[in-house]
Amino acid sequence: MNKKRSAAKKVIISITAILLAGVMIFGSYCLTLAFRDNIKDKYTMTETDDGFLFTVLKGAVFGKNFEASETEINTYINKKFCGGTKLLQNVRIYLQKDKPVELYGRIRLLGHDLAVQAVCDLTLDNSEGVVVLSLDEVKIGDLRIHDIVKNSILSGFADKNENVDFKDGRLYIKTRYEYHLGDYTLTLRLDRLSADDGKALCKTNSLTLEVLRVVTEFIFSDDGKEFFKRIFG
């Protein structure tokens, strides 16, 4: 009986050792894939353009359609969301008409900068005032990552950016801003967003009409009537 127990223990130990060795080999293989970086030319920006905010404001004055170039958008994203101790170190998106957005970059995980790439579905939700970003086919290095890992990374990114939320596997990026002037509010919101080859086609509401609305509200308010009474008697 003791011999049988001893033999059974040896079998269990052998199986456990084989399983552990398999896990270690598989883990090493995954790490090797994750540390590969064959996309440097994809996320390295050779040109920059700081004109994104000016382009948006210029179009917003009268609420006209405008175009934002890839270079403008990528420069803005990198300055606002990347670098230093942030999760994102480099990001570059490629816009194509009637095709998903391609994303390439580097992220900082466990003290290492790792190459990342994904295909993104980008839509505008006017009712909520957000751009909805769904990432698919996400790879770190050459390693295709599971949705659980992807969602953990995206959730951490959203937690550190006040204008970004994460739920149901998607990022929700705020595109509606409110500016308070006493009891009055000016609103700037994105009303149109679509991808074209090398650019985004956009439209906001008209800031001129927003200012006129606020002025009109003030004129017909009790404060406005009192103001004009003091001036004109």
Side-chain angles (χ1 to χ4, degrees), residues 53-86:
L53 291 178
F54 177 73
T55 298
V56 174
L57 290 174
K58 185 171 65 174
V61 171
F62 296 108
K64 292 184 176 180
N65 292 318
F66 65 91
E67 298 177 355
S69 70
E70 268 182 1
T71 304
E72 287 178 318
I73 295 169
N74 284 320
T75 302
Y76 177 77
I77 290 174
N78 276 272
K79 288 194 172 184
K80 186 172 180 62
F81 296 109
C82 303
T85 59
K86 297 177 181 177

PDB file of all heavy atoms in Angstrom, residues 53-86:
ATOM      1  N   LEU A  53      -6.416  73.391 -31.944  1.00  0.00           N
ATOM      2  CA  LEU A  53      -7.378  74.200 -31.207  1.00  0.00           C
ATOM      3  C   LEU A  53      -7.787  75.429 -32.004  1.00  0.00           C
ATOM      4  O   LEU A  53      -8.968  75.833 -31.992  1.00  0.00           O
ATOM      5  CB  LEU A  53      -6.799  74.619 -29.852  1.00  0.00           C
ATOM      6  CG  LEU A  53      -6.616  73.486 -28.835  1.00  0.00           C
ATOM      7  CD1 LEU A  53      -5.986  74.019 -27.553  1.00  0.00           C
ATOM      8  CD2 LEU A  53      -7.949  72.817 -28.534  1.00  0.00           C
ATOM      9  N   PHE A  54      -6.846  76.049 -32.713  1.00  0.00           N
ATOM     10  CA  PHE A  54      -7.173  77.197 -33.557  1.00  0.00           C
ATOM     11  C   PHE A  54      -8.132  76.786 -34.671  1.00  0.00           C
ATOM     12  O   PHE A  54      -9.083  77.512 -34.987  1.00  0.00           O
ATOM     13  CB  PHE A  54      -5.899  77.802 -34.151  1.00  0.00           C
ATOM     14  CG  PHE A  54      -6.162  78.952 -35.085  1.00  0.00           C
ATOM     15  CD1 PHE A  54      -6.558  80.186 -34.593  1.00  0.00           C
ATOM     16  CD2 PHE A  54      -6.033  78.793 -36.461  1.00  0.00           C
ATOM     17  CE1 PHE A  54      -6.811  81.255 -35.454  1.00  0.00           C
ATOM     18  CE2 PHE A  54      -6.298  79.846 -37.326  1.00  0.00           C
ATOM     19  CZ  PHE A  54      -6.685  81.080 -36.822  1.00  0.00           C
ATOM     20  N   THR A  55      -7.886  75.621 -35.262  1.00  0.00           N
ATOM     21  CA  THR A  55      -8.768  75.118 -36.319  1.00  0.00           C
ATOM     22  C   THR A  55     -10.185  74.919 -35.793  1.00  0.00           C
ATOM     23  O   THR A  55     -11.167  75.276 -36.449  1.00  0.00           O
ATOM     24  CB  THR A  55      -8.222  73.782 -36.872  1.00  0.00           C
ATOM     25  OG1 THR A  55      -6.936  73.996 -37.456  1.00  0.00           O
ATOM     26  CG2 THR A  55      -9.154  73.209 -37.929  1.00  0.00           C
ATOM     27  N   VAL A  56     -10.283  74.345 -34.581  1.00  0.00           N
ATOM     28  CA  VAL A  56     -11.604  74.111 -33.980  1.00  0.00           C
ATOM     29  C   VAL A  56     -12.306  75.433 -33.692  1.00  0.00           C
ATOM     30  O   VAL A  56     -13.483  75.624 -34.042  1.00  0.00           O
ATOM     31  CB  VAL A  56     -11.469  73.288 -32.682  1.00  0.00           C
ATOM     32  CG1 VAL A  56     -12.818  73.183 -31.978  1.00  0.00           C
ATOM     33  CG2 VAL A  56     -10.940  71.895 -32.991  1.00  0.00           C
ATOM     34  N   LEU A  57     -11.602  76.376 -33.067  1.00  0.00           N
ATOM     35  CA  LEU A  57     -12.221  77.652 -32.696  1.00  0.00           C
ATOM     36  C   LEU A  57     -12.604  78.465 -33.928  1.00  0.00           C
ATOM     37  O   LEU A  57     -13.644  79.141 -33.933  1.00  0.00           O
ATOM     38  CB  LEU A  57     -11.271  78.455 -31.806  1.00  0.00           C
ATOM     39  CG  LEU A  57     -11.067  77.890 -30.401  1.00  0.00           C
ATOM     40  CD1 LEU A  57     -10.004  78.678 -29.646  1.00  0.00           C
ATOM     41  CD2 LEU A  57     -12.379  77.903 -29.620  1.00  0.00           C
ATOM     42  N   LYS A  58     -11.798  78.388 -34.961  1.00  0.00           N
ATOM     43  CA  LYS A  58     -12.104  79.117 -36.195  1.00  0.00           C
ATOM     44  C   LYS A  58     -13.404  78.603 -36.814  1.00  0.00           C
ATOM     45  O   LYS A  58     -14.242  79.375 -37.274  1.00  0.00           O
ATOM     46  CB  LYS A  58     -10.944  78.980 -37.188  1.00  0.00           C
ATOM     47  CG  LYS A  58     -11.117  79.799 -38.458  1.00  0.00           C
ATOM     48  CD  LYS A  58      -9.836  79.776 -39.292  1.00  0.00           C
ATOM     49  CE  LYS A  58      -9.529  78.372 -39.789  1.00  0.00           C
ATOM     50  NZ  LYS A  58      -8.375  78.350 -40.727  1.00  0.00           N
ATOM     51  N   GLY A  59     -13.572  77.272 -36.795  1.00  0.00           N
ATOM     52  CA  GLY A  59     -14.804  76.697 -37.320  1.00  0.00           C
ATOM     53  C   GLY A  59     -15.984  76.940 -36.409  1.00  0.00           C
ATOM     54  O   GLY A  59     -17.131  77.037 -36.860  1.00  0.00           O
ATOM     55  N   ALA A  60     -15.703  77.075 -35.103  1.00  0.00           N
ATOM     56  CA  ALA A  60     -16.789  77.212 -34.126  1.00  0.00           C
ATOM     57  C   ALA A  60     -17.394  78.607 -34.090  1.00  0.00           C
ATOM     58  O   ALA A  60     -18.521  78.779 -33.615  1.00  0.00           O
ATOM     59  CB  ALA A  60     -16.278  76.850 -32.727  1.00  0.00           C
ATOM     60  N   VAL A  61     -16.673  79.608 -34.577  1.00  0.00           N
ATOM     61  CA  VAL A  61     -17.181  80.982 -34.521  1.00  0.00           C
ATOM     62  C   VAL A  61     -18.570  81.069 -35.162  1.00  0.00           C
ATOM     63  O   VAL A  61     -19.506  81.626 -34.598  1.00  0.00           O
ATOM     64  CB  VAL A  61     -16.206  81.958 -35.212  1.00  0.00           C
ATOM     65  CG1 VAL A  61     -16.835  83.343 -35.339  1.00  0.00           C
ATOM     66  CG2 VAL A  61     -14.905  82.047 -34.423  1.00  0.00           C
ATOM     67  N   PHE A  62     -18.696  80.470 -36.354  1.00  0.00           N
ATOM     68  CA  PHE A  62     -19.993  80.489 -37.039  1.00  0.00           C
ATOM     69  C   PHE A  62     -20.587  79.089 -37.201  1.00  0.00           C
ATOM     70  O   PHE A  62     -21.581  78.924 -37.906  1.00  0.00           O
ATOM     71  CB  PHE A  62     -19.850  81.154 -38.411  1.00  0.00           C
ATOM     72  CG  PHE A  62     -19.452  82.606 -38.338  1.00  0.00           C
ATOM     73  CD1 PHE A  62     -18.183  82.999 -38.705  1.00  0.00           C
ATOM     74  CD2 PHE A  62     -20.339  83.560 -37.864  1.00  0.00           C
ATOM     75  CE1 PHE A  62     -17.800  84.337 -38.623  1.00  0.00           C
ATOM     76  CE2 PHE A  62     -19.966  84.906 -37.778  1.00  0.00           C
ATOM     77  CZ  PHE A  62     -18.696  85.291 -38.163  1.00  0.00           C
ATOM     78  N   GLY A  63     -19.980  78.095 -36.569  1.00  0.00           N
ATOM     79  CA  GLY A  63     -20.499  76.736 -36.652  1.00  0.00           C
ATOM     80  C   GLY A  63     -20.388  76.129 -38.033  1.00  0.00           C
ATOM     81  O   GLY A  63     -21.260  75.376 -38.466  1.00  0.00           O
ATOM     82  N   LYS A  64     -19.296  76.440 -38.728  1.00  0.00           N
ATOM     83  CA  LYS A  64     -19.110  75.933 -40.086  1.00  0.00           C
ATOM     84  C   LYS A  64     -18.394  74.578 -40.075  1.00  0.00           C
ATOM     85  O   LYS A  64     -17.698  74.236 -39.122  1.00  0.00           O
ATOM     86  CB  LYS A  64     -18.281  76.935 -40.907  1.00  0.00           C
ATOM     87  CG  LYS A  64     -18.999  78.248 -41.196  1.00  0.00           C
ATOM     88  CD  LYS A  64     -18.131  79.125 -42.083  1.00  0.00           C
ATOM     89  CE  LYS A  64     -18.861  80.412 -42.464  1.00  0.00           C
ATOM     90  NZ  LYS A  64     -18.019  81.274 -43.337  1.00  0.00           N
ATOM     91  N   ASN A  65     -18.562  73.826 -41.162  1.00  0.00           N
ATOM     92  CA  ASN A  65     -17.802  72.585 -41.338  1.00  0.00           C
ATOM     93  C   ASN A  65     -16.315  72.928 -41.441  1.00  0.00           C
ATOM     94  O   ASN A  65     -15.943  73.942 -42.048  1.00  0.00           O
ATOM     95  CB  ASN A  65     -18.233  71.855 -42.607  1.00  0.00           C
ATOM     96  CG  ASN A  65     -19.647  71.318 -42.515  1.00  0.00           C
ATOM     97  OD1 ASN A  65     -20.043  70.782 -41.494  1.00  0.00           O
ATOM     98  ND2 ASN A  65     -20.416  71.460 -43.582  1.00  0.00           N
ATOM     99  N   PHE A  66     -15.479  72.096 -40.845  1.00  0.00           N
ATOM    100  CA  PHE A  66     -14.040  72.306 -40.973  1.00  0.00           C
ATOM    101  C   PHE A  66     -13.318  70.965 -40.986  1.00  0.00           C
ATOM    102  O   PHE A  66     -13.892  69.936 -40.628  1.00  0.00           O
ATOM    103  CB  PHE A  66     -13.509  73.193 -39.843  1.00  0.00           C
ATOM    104  CG  PHE A  66     -13.626  72.582 -38.464  1.00  0.00           C
ATOM    105  CD1 PHE A  66     -12.594  71.829 -37.919  1.00  0.00           C
ATOM    106  CD2 PHE A  66     -14.778  72.784 -37.701  1.00  0.00           C
ATOM    107  CE1 PHE A  66     -12.708  71.279 -36.643  1.00  0.00           C
ATOM    108  CE2 PHE A  66     -14.896  72.239 -36.427  1.00  0.00           C
ATOM    109  CZ  PHE A  66     -13.863  71.493 -35.902  1.00  0.00           C
ATOM    110  N   GLU A  67     -12.073  70.992 -41.429  1.00  0.00           N
ATOM    111  CA  GLU A  67     -11.247  69.789 -41.513  1.00  0.00           C
ATOM    112  C   GLU A  67     -10.081  69.909 -40.541  1.00  0.00           C
ATOM    113  O   GLU A  67      -9.426  70.943 -40.480  1.00  0.00           O
ATOM    114  CB  GLU A  67     -10.714  69.592 -42.931  1.00  0.00           C
ATOM    115  CG  GLU A  67     -11.793  69.385 -43.976  1.00  0.00           C
ATOM    116  CD  GLU A  67     -11.219  69.272 -45.378  1.00  0.00           C
ATOM    117  OE1 GLU A  67      -9.980  69.460 -45.526  1.00  0.00           O
ATOM    118  OE2 GLU A  67     -11.983  69.007 -46.322  1.00  0.00           O
ATOM    119  N   ALA A  68      -9.850  68.845 -39.785  1.00  0.00           N
ATOM    120  CA  ALA A  68      -8.675  68.768 -38.904  1.00  0.00           C
ATOM    121  C   ALA A  68      -7.765  67.669 -39.446  1.00  0.00           C
ATOM    122  O   ALA A  68      -8.201  66.529 -39.630  1.00  0.00           O
ATOM    123  CB  ALA A  68      -9.097  68.455 -37.474  1.00  0.00           C
ATOM    124  N   SER A  69      -6.529  68.013 -39.713  1.00  0.00           N
ATOM    125  CA  SER A  69      -5.612  67.041 -40.308  1.00  0.00           C
ATOM    126  C   SER A  69      -5.137  66.021 -39.273  1.00  0.00           C
ATOM    127  O   SER A  69      -5.192  66.262 -38.065  1.00  0.00           O
ATOM    128  CB  SER A  69      -4.395  67.759 -40.902  1.00  0.00           C
ATOM    129  OG  SER A  69      -3.579  68.292 -39.867  1.00  0.00           O
ATOM    130  N   GLU A  70      -4.682  64.877 -39.767  1.00  0.00           N
ATOM    131  CA  GLU A  70      -4.093  63.856 -38.890  1.00  0.00           C
ATOM    132  C   GLU A  70      -2.971  64.439 -38.044  1.00  0.00           C
ATOM    133  O   GLU A  70      -2.867  64.149 -36.852  1.00  0.00           O
ATOM    134  CB  GLU A  70      -3.536  62.698 -39.735  1.00  0.00           C
ATOM    135  CG  GLU A  70      -4.486  61.583 -39.979  1.00  0.00           C
ATOM    136  CD  GLU A  70      -3.838  60.469 -40.784  1.00  0.00           C
ATOM    137  OE1 GLU A  70      -2.640  60.569 -41.131  1.00  0.00           O
ATOM    138  OE2 GLU A  70      -4.538  59.503 -41.085  1.00  0.00           O
ATOM    139  N   THR A  71      -2.133  65.258 -38.670  1.00  0.00           N
ATOM    140  CA  THR A  71      -0.989  65.826 -37.963  1.00  0.00           C
ATOM    141  C   THR A  71      -1.442  66.714 -36.817  1.00  0.00           C
ATOM    142  O   THR A  71      -0.894  66.658 -35.708  1.00  0.00           O
ATOM    143  CB  THR A  71      -0.098  66.630 -38.929  1.00  0.00           C
ATOM    144  OG1 THR A  71       0.298  65.786 -40.016  1.00  0.00           O
ATOM    145  CG2 THR A  71       1.146  67.141 -38.218  1.00  0.00           C
ATOM    146  N   GLU A  72      -2.461  67.550 -37.051  1.00  0.00           N
ATOM    147  CA  GLU A  72      -3.000  68.401 -35.993  1.00  0.00           C
ATOM    148  C   GLU A  72      -3.551  67.561 -34.844  1.00  0.00           C
ATOM    149  O   GLU A  72      -3.282  67.826 -33.673  1.00  0.00           O
ATOM    150  CB  GLU A  72      -4.123  69.281 -36.541  1.00  0.00           C
ATOM    151  CG  GLU A  72      -3.663  70.410 -37.444  1.00  0.00           C
ATOM    152  CD  GLU A  72      -4.821  71.211 -37.992  1.00  0.00           C
ATOM    153  OE1 GLU A  72      -5.842  70.599 -38.380  1.00  0.00           O
ATOM    154  OE2 GLU A  72      -4.709  72.447 -38.023  1.00  0.00           O
ATOM    155  N   ILE A  73      -4.333  66.546 -35.194  1.00  0.00           N
ATOM    156  CA  ILE A  73      -4.968  65.702 -34.176  1.00  0.00           C
ATOM    157  C   ILE A  73      -3.923  64.933 -33.378  1.00  0.00           C
ATOM    158  O   ILE A  73      -3.972  64.874 -32.145  1.00  0.00           O
ATOM    159  CB  ILE A  73      -5.973  64.742 -34.827  1.00  0.00           C
ATOM    160  CG1 ILE A  73      -7.124  65.541 -35.455  1.00  0.00           C
ATOM    161  CG2 ILE A  73      -6.506  63.737 -33.818  1.00  0.00           C
ATOM    162  CD1 ILE A  73      -8.035  64.711 -36.340  1.00  0.00           C
ATOM    163  N   ASN A  74      -2.964  64.334 -34.080  1.00  0.00           N
ATOM    164  CA  ASN A  74      -1.933  63.546 -33.398  1.00  0.00           C
ATOM    165  C   ASN A  74      -1.049  64.408 -32.499  1.00  0.00           C
ATOM    166  O   ASN A  74      -0.671  63.995 -31.397  1.00  0.00           O
ATOM    167  CB  ASN A  74      -1.076  62.801 -34.430  1.00  0.00           C
ATOM    168  CG  ASN A  74      -1.785  61.595 -35.004  1.00  0.00           C
ATOM    169  OD1 ASN A  74      -2.466  60.863 -34.294  1.00  0.00           O
ATOM    170  ND2 ASN A  74      -1.656  61.380 -36.304  1.00  0.00           N
ATOM    171  N   THR A  75      -0.730  65.613 -32.953  1.00  0.00           N
ATOM    172  CA  THR A  75       0.062  66.522 -32.124  1.00  0.00           C
ATOM    173  C   THR A  75      -0.696  66.873 -30.848  1.00  0.00           C
ATOM    174  O   THR A  75      -0.133  66.870 -29.745  1.00  0.00           O
ATOM    175  CB  THR A  75       0.404  67.808 -32.899  1.00  0.00           C
ATOM    176  OG1 THR A  75       1.113  67.479 -34.087  1.00  0.00           O
ATOM    177  CG2 THR A  75       1.265  68.743 -32.041  1.00  0.00           C
ATOM    178  N   TYR A  76      -1.988  67.161 -30.988  1.00  0.00           N
ATOM    179  CA  TYR A  76      -2.821  67.505 -29.832  1.00  0.00           C
ATOM    180  C   TYR A  76      -2.920  66.327 -28.860  1.00  0.00           C
ATOM    181  O   TYR A  76      -2.757  66.494 -27.644  1.00  0.00           O
ATOM    182  CB  TYR A  76      -4.214  67.903 -30.309  1.00  0.00           C
ATOM    183  CG  TYR A  76      -5.185  68.198 -29.185  1.00  0.00           C
ATOM    184  CD1 TYR A  76      -5.116  69.395 -28.489  1.00  0.00           C
ATOM    185  CD2 TYR A  76      -6.155  67.265 -28.818  1.00  0.00           C
ATOM    186  CE1 TYR A  76      -5.996  69.677 -27.451  1.00  0.00           C
ATOM    187  CE2 TYR A  76      -7.035  67.535 -27.776  1.00  0.00           C
ATOM    188  CZ  TYR A  76      -6.952  68.733 -27.103  1.00  0.00           C
ATOM    189  OH  TYR A  76      -7.819  69.004 -26.078  1.00  0.00           O
ATOM    190  N   ILE A  77      -3.173  65.122 -29.370  1.00  0.00           N
ATOM    191  CA  ILE A  77      -3.294  63.934 -28.524  1.00  0.00           C
ATOM    192  C   ILE A  77      -2.002  63.690 -27.749  1.00  0.00           C
ATOM    193  O   ILE A  77      -2.025  63.416 -26.544  1.00  0.00           O
ATOM    194  CB  ILE A  77      -3.647  62.700 -29.370  1.00  0.00           C
ATOM    195  CG1 ILE A  77      -5.084  62.818 -29.899  1.00  0.00           C
ATOM    196  CG2 ILE A  77      -3.501  61.421 -28.552  1.00  0.00           C
ATOM    197  CD1 ILE A  77      -5.464  61.711 -30.868  1.00  0.00           C
ATOM    198  N   ASN A  78      -0.868  63.801 -28.442  1.00  0.00           N
ATOM    199  CA  ASN A  78       0.407  63.521 -27.782  1.00  0.00           C
ATOM    200  C   ASN A  78       0.735  64.544 -26.701  1.00  0.00           C
ATOM    201  O   ASN A  78       1.302  64.195 -25.661  1.00  0.00           O
ATOM    202  CB  ASN A  78       1.527  63.449 -28.819  1.00  0.00           C
ATOM    203  CG  ASN A  78       1.639  62.082 -29.459  1.00  0.00           C
ATOM    204  OD1 ASN A  78       2.330  61.201 -28.962  1.00  0.00           O
ATOM    205  ND2 ASN A  78       0.918  61.874 -30.553  1.00  0.00           N
ATOM    206  N   LYS A  79       0.372  65.793 -26.915  1.00  0.00           N
ATOM    207  CA  LYS A  79       0.664  66.820 -25.905  1.00  0.00           C
ATOM    208  C   LYS A  79      -0.291  66.728 -24.727  1.00  0.00           C
ATOM    209  O   LYS A  79       0.094  67.012 -23.591  1.00  0.00           O
ATOM    210  CB  LYS A  79       0.596  68.207 -26.547  1.00  0.00           C
ATOM    211  CG  LYS A  79       1.766  68.478 -27.476  1.00  0.00           C
ATOM    212  CD  LYS A  79       1.887  69.943 -27.827  1.00  0.00           C
ATOM    213  CE  LYS A  79       3.180  70.200 -28.597  1.00  0.00           C
ATOM    214  NZ  LYS A  79       3.387  71.632 -28.886  1.00  0.00           N
ATOM    215  N   LYS A  80      -1.523  66.315 -24.967  1.00  0.00           N
ATOM    216  CA  LYS A  80      -2.524  66.291 -23.900  1.00  0.00           C
ATOM    217  C   LYS A  80      -2.509  64.982 -23.112  1.00  0.00           C
ATOM    218  O   LYS A  80      -2.716  64.981 -21.901  1.00  0.00           O
ATOM    219  CB  LYS A  80      -3.923  66.510 -24.488  1.00  0.00           C
ATOM    220  CG  LYS A  80      -5.013  66.637 -23.431  1.00  0.00           C
ATOM    221  CD  LYS A  80      -6.330  67.045 -24.036  1.00  0.00           C
ATOM    222  CE  LYS A  80      -7.426  67.168 -22.986  1.00  0.00           C
ATOM    223  NZ  LYS A  80      -7.132  68.201 -21.982  1.00  0.00           N
ATOM    224  N   PHE A  81      -2.285  63.856 -23.773  1.00  0.00           N
ATOM    225  CA  PHE A  81      -2.462  62.556 -23.116  1.00  0.00           C
ATOM    226  C   PHE A  81      -1.191  61.729 -22.969  1.00  0.00           C
ATOM    227  O   PHE A  81      -1.230  60.678 -22.334  1.00  0.00           O
ATOM    228  CB  PHE A  81      -3.485  61.721 -23.912  1.00  0.00           C
ATOM    229  CG  PHE A  81      -4.864  62.310 -23.946  1.00  0.00           C
ATOM    230  CD1 PHE A  81      -5.372  62.849 -25.118  1.00  0.00           C
ATOM    231  CD2 PHE A  81      -5.664  62.337 -22.819  1.00  0.00           C
ATOM    232  CE1 PHE A  81      -6.649  63.393 -25.172  1.00  0.00           C
ATOM    233  CE2 PHE A  81      -6.940  62.878 -22.852  1.00  0.00           C
ATOM    234  CZ  PHE A  81      -7.428  63.409 -24.031  1.00  0.00           C
ATOM    235  N   CYS A  82      -0.076  62.160 -23.531  1.00  0.00           N
ATOM    236  CA  CYS A  82       1.114  61.300 -23.567  1.00  0.00           C
ATOM    237  C   CYS A  82       2.313  61.921 -22.860  1.00  0.00           C
ATOM    238  O   CYS A  82       2.371  63.128 -22.631  1.00  0.00           O
ATOM    239  CB  CYS A  82       1.503  60.998 -25.017  1.00  0.00           C
ATOM    240  SG  CYS A  82       0.196  60.228 -25.995  1.00  0.00           S
ATOM    241  N   GLY A  83       3.291  61.033 -22.552  1.00  0.00           N
ATOM    242  CA  GLY A  83       4.566  61.476 -22.019  1.00  0.00           C
ATOM    243  C   GLY A  83       4.639  61.448 -20.503  1.00  0.00           C
ATOM    244  O   GLY A  83       3.661  61.185 -19.809  1.00  0.00           O
ATOM    245  N   GLY A  84       5.833  61.709 -19.985  1.00  0.00           N
ATOM    246  CA  GLY A  84       6.047  61.747 -18.537  1.00  0.00           C
ATOM    247  C   GLY A  84       5.748  60.424 -17.879  1.00  0.00           C
ATOM    248  O   GLY A  84       6.197  59.364 -18.322  1.00  0.00           O
ATOM    249  N   THR A  85       4.933  60.463 -16.831  1.00  0.00           N
ATOM    250  CA  THR A  85       4.572  59.245 -16.095  1.00  0.00           C
ATOM    251  C   THR A  85       3.229  58.671 -16.557  1.00  0.00           C
ATOM    252  O   THR A  85       2.706  57.769 -15.916  1.00  0.00           O
ATOM    253  CB  THR A  85       4.483  59.557 -14.584  1.00  0.00           C
ATOM    254  OG1 THR A  85       3.496  60.578 -14.363  1.00  0.00           O
ATOM    255  CG2 THR A  85       5.826  60.031 -14.056  1.00  0.00           C
ATOM    256  N   LYS A  86       2.687  59.208 -17.638  1.00  0.00           N
ATOM    257  CA  LYS A  86       1.378  58.759 -18.117  1.00  0.00           C
ATOM    258  C   LYS A  86       1.454  57.378 -18.750  1.00  0.00           C
ATOM    259  O   LYS A  86       2.527  56.916 -19.152  1.00  0.00           O
ATOM    260  CB  LYS A  86       0.815  59.768 -19.121  1.00  0.00           C
ATOM    261  CG  LYS A  86       0.556  61.145 -18.520  1.00  0.00           C
ATOM    262  CD  LYS A  86       0.071  62.124 -19.572  1.00  0.00           C
ATOM    263  CE  LYS A  86      -0.175  63.499 -18.976  1.00  0.00           C
ATOM    264  NZ  LYS A  86      -0.588  64.495 -19.996  1.00  0.00           N
TER     265      LYS A  86
END
